């Protein structure tokens, strides 16, 4: 018998776990953190060395934990304003402290038995959705919680109008940086994944590629909201062996191609990220901005939605849909206690062993 079978499905929830990726807080954390992230993925050591240097470029501290705490603070204020102050918010991570299992253990010790889980990913796919179910299942097992505890993962939100509206607000501000002269090219970016992982993303019966379809659909919707008819969807932050095909083109390759075509102005929107992870500040604010300068391109990177009032309000809306025990538990990405939302959904692809 499972936890969700021993408690009524419509019973209210009494706490919220804000579940994220994690990041190092000091230089000595960087290598062990990256080893956690890449374990079993066949990432070449030289690529890991490169990424270590990316973190050390910023003092060995990822901005992600601080940004998540900022989002939690904004969300807590929004929920308090809606009369939801009795729903405490806890913070846990997949790859670094505070680890999800430790946080779940603390929540149970504090008396919480029905816990909503908000993951900081809008998307489907293995890394963006199913792995969060695995994080929840692992946290339950590692924390040794009883069958009376339910952890319900909240659904994907990339198709929510207010998510797309929040991104559009940021893009509109970026476009407004170019009031005169030729209009800039609008470029959306998201985290690249292996082609094989994208083919496996989503329910098997739907033919896969859920992740890239969602990113493309959201980008098109945002472009429509800001009145742009021509735009590009590109990728960033690949980390696997060079012989494995990943989603392309890469943002820097695309900037070179645009420059060759005579494009002199770009607005880059990291639609795939909800806050300024290290991938954003390195790939876009460092490498992308430096390359654009070399190419003589005017370059604007718009903010992630993070703590924008519109996005925080959306997260509160999603929490409220489920807080009293209601909500659509058949929604994509929603599931209890680590169970996936659809059969054969976002099945993880076996990663190649590193050669040599």
């Amino acid at each position: 018998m499972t936890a969700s079978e021993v408690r009524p499905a419509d019973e209210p929830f009494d706490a919220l776990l804000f579940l994220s990726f994690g990041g190092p807080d000091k230089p000595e954390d960087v290598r062990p953190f990256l080893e956690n992230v890449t374990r079993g993925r066949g990432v070449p050591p030289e690529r890991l060395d490169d990424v270590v240097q990316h973190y050390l470029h910023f003092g060995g501290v990822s901005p992600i934990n601080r940004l998540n705490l900022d989002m939690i603070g904004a969300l807590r204020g929004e929920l308090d304003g809606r009369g939801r102050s009795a729903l405490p918010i806890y913070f846990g991570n997949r790859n670094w402290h505070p680890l999800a299992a430790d946080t779940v253990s603390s929540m149970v010790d504090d008396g919480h038995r029905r816990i909503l889980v908000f993951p900081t990913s809008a998307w489907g796919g293995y890394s963006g959705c199913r792995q969060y179910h695995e994080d929840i299942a692992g946290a339950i097992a590692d924390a040794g919680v009883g069958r009376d505890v339910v952890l319900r993962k909240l659904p994907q939100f990339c198709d929510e109008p207010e998510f797309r509206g929040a991104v559009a607000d940021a893009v509109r501000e970026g476009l407004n940086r170019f009031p005169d002269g030729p209009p800039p090219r609008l470029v959306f970016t998201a985290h690249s994944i292996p082609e094989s992982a994208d083919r496996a993303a989503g329910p098997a019966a739907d033919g896969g590629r859920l992740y890239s379809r969602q990113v493309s659909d959201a980008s098109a919707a945002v472009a429509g909201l800001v009145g742009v008819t021509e735009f590009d969807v590109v990728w960033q932050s690949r980390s696997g062996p060079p012989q494995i095909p990943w989603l392309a083109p890469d943002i820097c390759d695309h900037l070179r191609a645009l420059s060759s075509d005579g494009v002199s102005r770009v607005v880059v929107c990291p639609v795939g990220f909800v806050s300024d992870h290290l991938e954003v500040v390195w790939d876009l604010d460092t490498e992308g901005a430096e390359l654009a300068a070399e190419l003589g391109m005017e370059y604007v990177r718009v903010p992630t939605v993070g703590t924008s009032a519109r996005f925080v309000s959306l997260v509160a809306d999603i929490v409220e849909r489920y807080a009293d025990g209601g909500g659509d538990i058949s929604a994509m990405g929603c599931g209890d206690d680590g169970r996936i939302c659809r059969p054969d959904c976002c099945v993880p692809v076996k990663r190649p062993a590193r050669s040599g």
Side-chain angles (χ1 to χ4, degrees), residues 4 13 36 73 75 102 126 139 191 208 211 228 233 253 261 274 292 315-316:
S4 58
F13 287 83
N36 282 349
L75 178 59
D102 296 334
Y126 176 70
H191 203 302
Y211 173 63
V228 170
V233 178
D253 292 339
D261 289 341
V274 298
V315 178

Side-chain angles (χ1 to χ4, degrees), residues 35 54 105 118 125 164 183 236 240 255 257 269 318 346:
E35 289 170 352
H54 297 173
S105 181
F118 175 77
R164 296 174 174 190
Q236 61 177 90
L255 291 175
C269 170
I318 296 171
C346 300

Side-chain angles (χ1 to χ4, degrees), residues 50-276:
D50 288 344
V51 180
V52 167
Q53 292 306 311
H54 297 173
Y55 278 92
L56 294 180
H57 179 82
F58 297 100
V61 178
S62 169
I64 190 171
N65 286 331
R66 175 183 56 79
L67 293 168
N68 280 326
L69 291 172
D70 289 345
M71 281 194 284
I72 289 170
L75 178 59
R76 184 175 289 118
E78 178 71 20
L79 290 172
D80 287 351
R82 299 182 183 199
R84 294 281 184 181
S85 55
L87 192 73
I89 306 175
Y90 292 72
F91 178 37
N93 286 318
R94 172 184 298 165
N95 294 302
W96 204 246
H97 307 285
L99 293 168
D102 296 334
T103 302
V104 168
S105 181
S106 295
M107 297 176 84
V108 173
D109 288 346
D110 289 345
H112 300 295
R113 293 296 180 270
R114 286 181 62 81
I115 299 166
L116 293 175
V117 182
F118 175 77
T120 56
S121 168
W123 315 100
Y126 176 70
S127 296
C129 187
R130 181 167 176 152
Q131 197 170 8
Y132 283 102
H133 288 288
E134 294 178 358
D135 295 338
I136 292 166
I140 289 171
D142 291 347
V145 301
R147 293 186 302 171
D148 62 330
V149 176
V150 176
L151 280 83
R152 177 166 297 169
K153 179 184 172 294
L154 293 168
Q156 299 161 20
F157 55 87
C158 57
D159 59 349
E160 291 276 354
E162 287 303 294
F163 170 68
R164 296 174 174 190
V167 178
D169 290 344
V171 169
R172 196 173 290 109
E173 291 184 13
L175 295 172
N176 288 341
R177 298 272 297 273
F178 298 100
D180 303 311
R185 186 73 178 186
L186 177 57
V187 179
F188 295 94
T189 74
H191 203 302
S192 186
I193 61 173
E195 282 276 359
S196 57
D198 192 48
R199 288 194 297 270
D206 292 347
R209 297 203 178 274
L210 177 65
Y211 173 63
S212 59
R213 286 189 285 113
Q214 287 177 330
V215 171
S216 294
D217 289 349
S219 299
V222 171
L225 289 171
V226 299
V228 170
T229 56
E230 294 187 5
F231 61 92
D232 306 306
V233 178
V234 304
W235 308 93
Q236 61 177 90
S237 311
R238 71 156 292 161
S239 60
Q243 70 272 19
I244 303 300
W246 283 51
L247 295 177
D250 174 78
I251 176 63
C252 287
D253 292 339
H254 189 65
L255 291 175
R256 294 185 184 95
L258 288 176
S259 180
S260 296
D261 289 341
V263 174
S264 60
R265 295 172 148 188
V266 290
V267 169
V268 177
C269 170
V271 67
F273 303 84
V274 298
S275 64
D276 286 9

